[in-house]
Amino acid sequence: MTAAATALDLAALEQQYAELKAQNLALDLTRGKPSADQLDLSNALLSLPGNESEAWRAADGTDTRNYGGLSGLAELRAIFAELLGVPVDNLIAADNASLSLMHDTIAFAMLHGIGGEQPWATHAAESGRPVKFICPTPGYDRHFGICEHLGIEMIPVPMGQDGPDLDQVRALLAQDPAIRGMWVVPTYSNPDGVVYPESAVRELLAMPAAPDFRIWWDNAYALHHLTDTEHPPLDVLALAEAAGNPDRVLVFASTSKITFAGAGVSFLAASTGNLDWYRSHAQFRTIGPDKVNQLRHSRFFADADGVRALMRQHRDLLAPKFALVQQVLTDRLGPAGIASWTVPEGGYFVSLNVPDGTAAEVVRLAKEAGIALTPAGSAFPYGNDPRDRHIRIAPSFPPEADLRPAMEGLATCVLLAAARAGNR
Ligand code: PLP
């Protein structure tokens, strides 16, 4: 990449950049939010369950308006058990954010311990060494935010096309008994779009580790396909049991990018032991979830096929945006040979790798030209991309009319930063 950068025409790129700045753009490629068009697909939710008599009553007679029901509504759990490939008895439906479930489960383990072991915080205080998590990188910034906020040391492990380097994971687990957790986004990972193959999953589930080591299995994009190659979720609970570690995984998902990002339903799937543990602590922070929201979701979907049909409508809106991103990257950056990027089959992101040492400069140049990008390094623990090369592109939110100039502008900034570095 560095050699190719010296071949770029610096003067022409300075000129292109000056023209870009003169356009006074105000465009945003930062967060992976659904667009307003996507949110509109679920507007029927706004008038459900309705106020006709008994409309608020669940199939088993539960008055959803009242307190209670810590595990969530049976009819919605049945729909998502089928979609996530887990037994319905091992699935809890909760409030609007799976991130809260992830935060709470880690906080519970810190304060109270998990699997009958010592609280993590006590262990850390007595040993004088922090609890540690393995973090495949690049990864989801908010996962890393939870760790940092709760005093958990993060150990980055590089992501490849089939997930993280498993030899490194195995060696870390063998060497360091303070490792208690690992983040995994198994389907269309944020941001690389990686789908973990079953063989890698089986290996992860079988590796020797501390008895209270858990994998935070965040299947946020389980149903978010962008092509006809739909990667179904693995029955990870059964695989964990088969590997002799039935309690190793805590599975998370939500409807944040199915219905409303701010008013969806989250899910936790786990072994009976882990769910009992979760409820034993969650009962002190809530008397029950928003069951009216769960009821309206189950009425809106009707069944698992209703969710699948909705996801195809999302795909119809998202796929052209992802195609546009690929087209601009291929046309503008392909010939220069200075960058590489992912071609995801699902999820919400494209990872762009620019020449080493230029990502922060690209983000700065883009900002000056009115194009907001996620800060360089934000997909890495502590915001530290050791090669300063990764940029996360989130094409879902802007309309296509904005996405094209934003991507064209980004390409100009990548080329200019590379040309300037190559000329130094
Ligand atoms: N997990 C991943 C990997 C994400 O990318 C996101 C949102 O971008 C979330 C979780 C947030 O999930 P929720 O809205 O259910 O809190």
Side-chain angles (χ1 to χ4, degrees):
M1 283 190 193
T2 318
T6 53
L8 293 168
D9 183 342
L10 180 60
L13 286 165
E14 294 286 3
Q15 175 63 27
Q16 265 182 38
Y17 183 63
E19 287 164 12
L20 176 68
K21 280 210 316 199
Q23 291 176 43
N24 290 320
L25 299 174
L27 302 170
D28 194 336
L29 283 178
T30 53
R31 294 236 71 94
K33 297 197 291 193
S35 65
D37 286 355
Q38 288 179 268
L39 297 172
D40 283 346
L41 297 173
S42 299
N43 277 349
L45 272 176
L46 297 172
S47 42
L48 286 168
N51 69 353
E52 298 89 57
S53 81
E54 306 282 296
W56 30 261
R57 215 174 268 293
D60 66 355
T62 300
D63 184 339
T64 57
R65 301 167 303 175
N66 221 326
Y67 275 142
L70 198 55
S71 296
L73 225 56
E75 50 259 58
L76 187 66
R77 287 166 51 215
I79 294 174
F80 276 85
E82 179 180 335
L83 292 166
L84 296 171
V86 294
V88 67
D89 288 341
N90 293 95
L91 182 69
I92 283 177
D95 286 323
N96 74 314
S98 61
L99 199 67
S100 306
L101 291 172
M102 295 177 229
H103 173 276
D104 287 356
T105 43
I106 296 175
F108 293 159
M110 272 284 189
L111 292 170
H112 309 291
I114 183 168
E117 300 293 320
Q118 207 181 23
W120 290 356
T122 309
H123 176 82
E126 285 179 359
S127 67
R129 294 181 327 137
V131 167
K132 297 178 191 170
F133 265 45
I134 294 175
C135 300
T137 51
Y140 178 36
D141 52 351
R142 291 183 189 271
H143 287 163
F144 303 155
I146 291 176
C147 283
E148 213 171 340
H149 188 58
L150 296 178
I152 293 171
E153 188 177 309
M154 293 176 270
I155 308 175
V157 173
M159 279 293 264
Q161 285 178 355
D162 290 329
D165 181 334
L166 292 184
D167 291 337
Q168 270 195 44
V169 174
R170 185 191 311 281
L172 283 165
L173 285 171
Q175 284 156 18
D176 195 341
I179 297 173
R180 290 294 192 278
M182 174 171 175
W183 290 108
V184 168
V185 182
T187 317
Y188 312 130
S189 71
N190 174 353
D192 280 354
V194 167
V195 179
Y196 283 55
E198 185 173 329
S199 55
V201 172
R202 284 183 185 276
E203 258 190 89
L204 272 175
L205 295 171
M207 282 179 194
D212 50 349
F213 169 77
R214 296 287 182 274
I215 297 175
W216 269 255
W217 185 268
D218 179 1
N219 221 343
Y221 300 106
L223 310 174
H224 303 59
H225 316 292
L226 286 168
T227 74
D228 289 338
T229 313
E230 299 191 350
H231 299 270
L234 298 171
D235 183 356
V236 67
L237 297 182
L239 293 179
E241 194 161 355
N245 291 308
D247 297 325
R248 181 161 289 188
V249 270
L250 301 169
V251 179
F252 303 87
S254 77
T255 70
S256 290
K257 283 157 188 150
I258 297 174
T259 56
F260 295 151
V265 178
S266 61
F267 300 94
L268 167 63
S271 67
T272 307
N274 280 333
L275 286 190
D276 287 345
W277 166 83
Y278 170 76
R279 280 183 289 245
S280 76
H281 299 297
Q283 65 175 329
F284 292 101
R285 74 173 286 285
T286 179
I287 307 169
D290 180 346
K291 295 181 300 300
V292 174
N293 193 30
Q294 297 184 359
L295 181 67
R296 64 184 181 147
H297 272 78
S298 73
R299 299 250 166 96
F300 175 57
F301 295 136
D303 53 24
D305 276 340
V307 181
R308 293 186 186 104
L310 178 59
M311 293 316 290
R312 280 193 289 276
Q313 291 180 280
H314 281 288
R315 174 183 156 183
D316 289 344
L317 294 172
L318 284 170
K321 295 184 178 182
F322 278 80
L324 191 158
V325 168
Q326 294 298 328
Q327 189 214 326
V328 175
L329 292 174
T330 305
D331 291 353
R332 295 288 312 282
L333 300 183
I338 54 144
S340 63
W341 55 91
T342 54
V343 188
E345 292 180 328
Y348 262 60
F349 304 100
V350 173
S351 274
L352 170 64
N353 282 318
V354 297
D356 285 20
T358 65
E361 176 63 1
V362 170
V363 173
R364 191 192 67 76
L365 288 169
K367 188 176 177 201
E368 260 185 42
I371 302 166
L373 296 170
T374 318
S378 58
F380 291 75
Y382 311 105
N384 176 26
D385 172 2
R387 295 176 64 176
D388 184 26
R389 66 164 186 165
H390 180 261
I391 291 174
R392 188 182 86 168
I393 300 172
S396 59
F397 189 69
E400 280 171 61
D402 286 352
L403 185 58
R404 182 174 291 282
M407 285 305 301
E408 293 281 357
L410 168 60
T412 300
C413 296
V414 171
L415 292 167
L416 178 61
R420 284 184 180 170
N423 275 266
R424 268 205 298 271

